[in-house]
Amino acid sequence: NDIIKDIQTRLAKANLYNGVIDGIPGPLTIKGVKEAIKLNLCTEADLYECENPKITNNFRYSELIHSNTAVRLGLSNEPSKEHKVNLIESCINLWQPTREILGKSMNINSGYRSFEVNNAVGGSKTSAHSIGRAIDFTSPGFGNTRQIAAKLIKEFKTKGIKFDQIILEFPDSESSWIHLGYKNDKGQQRSQVLTAVKRNGKTVYLSGLH
């Protein structure tokens, strides 16, 4: 993020930041900006950019760490620096291209999940959400989840866009969503397409779209 790099550079020149100028705002950057504001070296707009940076043309950091469960239960959902790097990489290489393919807003209901949040939702210990590699979303402006999944599968193949998983989650439910993973916990991109359905009260994952 060039805006963040510029802020970090200004802070470093004022001896208010001694971290790496990497465009990734962490606690040191934010602390430096708050001190710089007092000295009229930074503005509230700079602080906003550091606390909620724009990752790509259509996504800000706050969207990628949003979790309805975290909000409801008041749980912290701040990623580690490693997981933050994963979020940025996944957003640039998969989620932004997805947004451009759909041409409509994507509503993320679950992005990154901290250990506490992942436990609260009953997520797998190897969930891609917990390492910053997956989002769950809808795009009502584009269509229903079956339409979204079909469009993405076709366009990813045409454009050579790599991914790990597209899961069409409970497509016959009003609360259906799309799980979109960039890489799994082993760094693999398996190009898996699955549909999650309920069978006898249990969740079953079927290969392909159904």
Side-chain angles (χ1 to χ4, degrees):
N1 188 314
D2 290 338
I3 294 175
I4 304 301
K5 284 183 180 179
D6 175 67
I7 292 171
Q8 290 172 333
T9 300
R10 283 187 278 137
L11 292 175
K13 289 180 179 179
N15 294 317
L16 295 173
Y17 177 72
N18 61 3
V20 179
I21 297 175
D22 55 7
I24 302 174
L28 282 178
T29 304
I30 293 171
K31 180 181 178 182
V33 170
K34 289 179 178 178
E35 290 298 317
I37 288 173
K38 296 175 185 177
L39 300 172
N40 293 319
L41 299 175
C42 280
T43 66
E44 292 292 338
D46 292 327
L47 181 60
Y48 176 78
E49 286 296 334
C50 288
E51 292 183 329
N52 187 26
K54 200 170 186 181
I55 306 301
T56 61
N57 287 339
N58 296 103
F59 291 102
R60 284 193 176 270
Y61 177 65
S62 60
E63 294 177 82
L64 305 184
I65 63 169
H66 177 73
S67 164
N68 291 345
T69 299
V71 173
R72 178 170 53 85
L73 298 179
L75 298 173
S76 172
N77 201 39
E78 188 65 30
S80 66
K81 187 169 184 178
E82 177 188 356
H83 292 166
K84 190 179 291 186
V85 170
N86 289 348
L87 280 171
I88 293 171
E89 180 188 18
S90 301
C91 189
I92 291 172
N93 293 317
L94 183 60
W95 305 331
Q96 179 62 35
T98 295
R99 170 64 175 77
E100 292 167 3
I101 287 168
L102 297 177
K104 299 292 182 180
S105 296
M106 293 166 57
N107 302 332
I108 299 174
N109 59 58
S110 182
Y112 176 74
R113 294 178 191 160
S114 65
F115 177 78
E116 293 79 9
V117 173
N118 197 51
N119 280 346
V121 301
S124 165
K125 292 181 179 179
T126 59
S127 170
H129 285 280
S130 63
I131 56 173
R133 294 296 197 188
I135 56 172
D136 293 341
F137 77 95
T138 59
S139 183
F142 179 85
N144 63 41
T145 51
R146 276 196 176 93
Q147 292 170 323
I148 293 169
K151 177 70 171 180
L152 294 183
I153 292 165
K154 178 183 177 181
E155 292 296 326
F156 286 175
K157 183 176 181 180
T158 299
K159 299 177 183 297
I161 296 173
K162 296 181 179 180
F163 66 98
D164 183 51
Q165 285 184 321
I166 293 176
I167 304 179
L168 175 57
E169 305 269 5
F170 313 107
D172 295 321
S173 167
E174 291 183 0
S175 59
S176 177
W177 70 91
I178 299 288
H179 169 94
L180 183 58
Y182 179 56
K183 293 180 180 179
N184 67 5
D185 63 318
K186 297 178 181 178
Q188 297 171 322
Q189 293 180 300
R190 298 167 292 175
S191 301
Q192 285 187 342
V193 177
L194 304 170
T195 300
V197 297
K198 286 290 185 181
R199 296 279 172 85
N200 299 318
K202 296 182 178 181
T203 299
V204 177
Y205 292 92
L206 308 175
S207 179
L209 298 184
H210 294 266

